[in-house]
Amino acid sequence: MQVSTVEQIAEVQRKYELQQQLRADAAAREAVAVAREAVAVAREAEAAMMVAEQSRKYNELQLQLQHMIKMFQQSQKPPS
């Protein structure tokens, strides 16, 4: 009977350790998933910032072009 009890205790201990390992593995997988999501969000934010910067530069160039056209048109007017 003692052998059976010792075997049962060992089996319970083994199952407990296996359960703990499964929980640790699940937590590690969750951490990896969260990290990947964070990387994806950071990449999206970086892309949005690049688009905003390109848009700002485009608008600045448009204003410069309009100013140059206006100056050119004024230079083409005959003197009054």
Side-chain angles (χ1 to χ4, degrees):
M1 187 151 170
Q2 286 182 349
V3 172
S4 177
T5 302
V6 169
E7 288 174 354
Q8 287 176 348
I9 291 171
E11 181 67 15
V12 168
Q13 180 66 27
R14 187 185 69 74
K15 287 180 180 178
Y16 174 78
E17 290 171 358
L18 180 60
Q19 187 179 40
Q20 291 300 97
Q21 184 61 49
L22 291 173
R23 285 184 179 149
D25 291 348
R29 282 192 301 276
E30 179 67 19
V32 168
V34 168
R36 285 182 178 151
E37 181 66 23
V39 168
V41 168
R43 285 183 179 151
E44 288 175 13
E46 183 180 16
M49 287 174 47
M50 289 175 65
V51 167
E53 179 65 12
Q54 289 173 350
S55 179
R56 184 192 66 76
K57 287 179 179 179
Y58 175 81
N59 290 338
E60 186 178 298
L61 288 172
Q62 284 290 100
L63 287 173
Q64 288 177 1
L65 179 60
Q66 289 172 3
H67 179 71
M68 291 172 71
I69 290 171
K70 186 176 180 181
M71 291 183 69
F72 176 76
Q73 288 171 343
Q74 287 178 350
S75 72
Q76 297 301 310
K77 287 183 183 175
S80 353

